[in-house]
Amino acid sequence: MKILGICGSPREESNTRFYLRQTLSEFETQGAQTEIILLRDLNIRGCKGCYGCVKAKKCVIEDDFGIVFEKMMEADGILFGSPVYHSSITSELKAVLDRAGFSGRWYSNEMKGKEDSYEWKGTVFSGKVVAPVTVARRAGQNFAFAQILLWATCNDCIVAGSTYWNVGVAGKGGTVNADEDEEGIGIMKHLASNMTHIIRCLKRETEV
Ligand SMILES: Cc1cc2nc3c(=O)[nH]c(=O)nc-3n(C[C@H](O)[C@H](O)[C@H](O)COP(=O)(O)O)c2cc1C
């Protein structure tokens, strides 16, 4: 079982990374192979709407996006983590979601004429188990959370939940430091159990 965490924080001492690590470490105890990508280390610009991926079947912008996309394709489960910036996910994560969602669709489908709806063959994300993790100092987690959910439910993913929304309340001047957010840490760990359960069931289903 391969689990990928994508951290959309531009900060080195990232709270989002902390919460993602809580979930990933729980996955590791369940025998999963995990990896975390810090988008702050990569150079990924936003989608430029060129529709080049419709023909090329991959994003045609030449930057570090391909590194993330390959790892997303290999993963059974993906955690999308983002700090809340003005009630939204960060531009780093938005760039990845826009480009992955669009090029992932044209990887396996053909665009037809305006009248024709295309024959659905799935996306590269079909059946992947996905969850958002959003972190704010005070407010806006659910808006950013919803952005990730809307991406996942438009890209044929299966969404896992936990005992509460997978959100952290932390940050400079925030309610608590992330490592003191016991409830949040519990939520992140339970998320890993739920995702593991779903992925194992799905894998068993394909073996039958
Ligand atoms: C540009 C910017 C916008 C922010 N907007 C919000 C916000 O809307 N709500 C909030 O509670 N915190 C907001 N914050 C605080 C961060 O969400 C918070 O510090 C978070 O823990 C940062 O996560 P990170 O350490 O993973 O980068 C903002 C911070 C920055 C730099």
Side-chain angles (χ1 to χ4, degrees):
M1 195 196 310
K2 285 188 184 172
I3 308 297
L4 177 67
I6 300 179
C7 179
S9 172
R11 292 184 348 105
E12 188 173 4
E13 297 299 320
S14 163
N15 292 300
T16 308
R17 172 158 76 163
F18 174 84
Y19 286 105
L20 286 174
R21 280 276 1 130
Q22 299 306 312
T23 313
L24 292 175
S25 68
E26 185 62 27
F27 271 114
E28 285 157 17
T29 62
Q30 312 221 14
Q33 208 182 307
T34 72
E35 183 172 357
I36 188 159
I37 294 181
L38 307 178
L39 296 182
R40 72 185 296 275
D41 292 341
L42 301 172
N43 173 29
I44 301 176
R45 57 157 291 166
C47 175
K48 58 179 183 176
C50 67
Y51 287 69
C53 56
V54 176
K55 266 199 176 160
K57 309 244 163 253
K58 60 176 185 143
C59 183
V60 295
I61 304 175
E62 287 182 11
D63 61 11
D64 294 334
F65 169 73
I67 300 169
V68 184
F69 191 61
E70 285 295 320
K71 299 220 182 262
M72 287 172 84
M73 286 201 288
E74 284 167 14
D76 299 300
I78 308 173
L79 297 167
F80 292 104
S82 181
V84 174
Y85 278 12
H86 294 102
S87 280
S88 169
I89 57 172
T90 58
S91 49
E92 284 85 348
L93 183 60
K94 183 74 165 72
V96 168
L97 292 181
D98 284 342
R99 288 173 63 184
F102 217 61
S103 58
R105 179 163 298 240
W106 303 119
Y107 190 88
S108 33
N109 293 291
E110 299 293 334
M111 174 96 87
K112 295 201 177 151
K114 262 191 187 162
E115 309 298 321
D116 262 339
S117 60
Y118 52 82
E119 186 192 344
W120 179 251
K121 292 181 184 156
T123 86
V124 297
F125 304 112
S126 292
K128 290 195 190 294
V129 182
V130 163
V133 171
T134 55
V135 183
R137 184 186 70 84
R138 189 171 180 87
Q141 290 96 331
N142 279 7
F143 290 99
F145 194 89
Q147 282 179 293
I148 298 168
L149 283 186
L150 290 170
W151 182 92
T153 48
C154 175
N155 283 285
D156 214 12
C157 300
I158 296 163
V159 176
S162 185
T163 52
Y164 195 82
W165 299 298
N166 324 311
V167 300
V169 184
K172 200 163 180 296
T175 314
V176 287
N177 292 324
D179 59 358
E180 291 166 21
D181 180 10
E182 277 179 35
E183 186 180 356
I185 292 168
I187 293 163
M188 300 304 155
K189 290 193 181 294
H190 192 78
L191 171 64
S193 311
N194 280 349
M195 283 180 75
T196 303
H197 177 67
I198 298 168
I199 294 167
R200 284 196 180 136
C201 289
L202 292 170
K203 280 190 180 284
R204 242 177 267 137
E205 197 177 70
T206 53
E207 279 162 15
V208 175

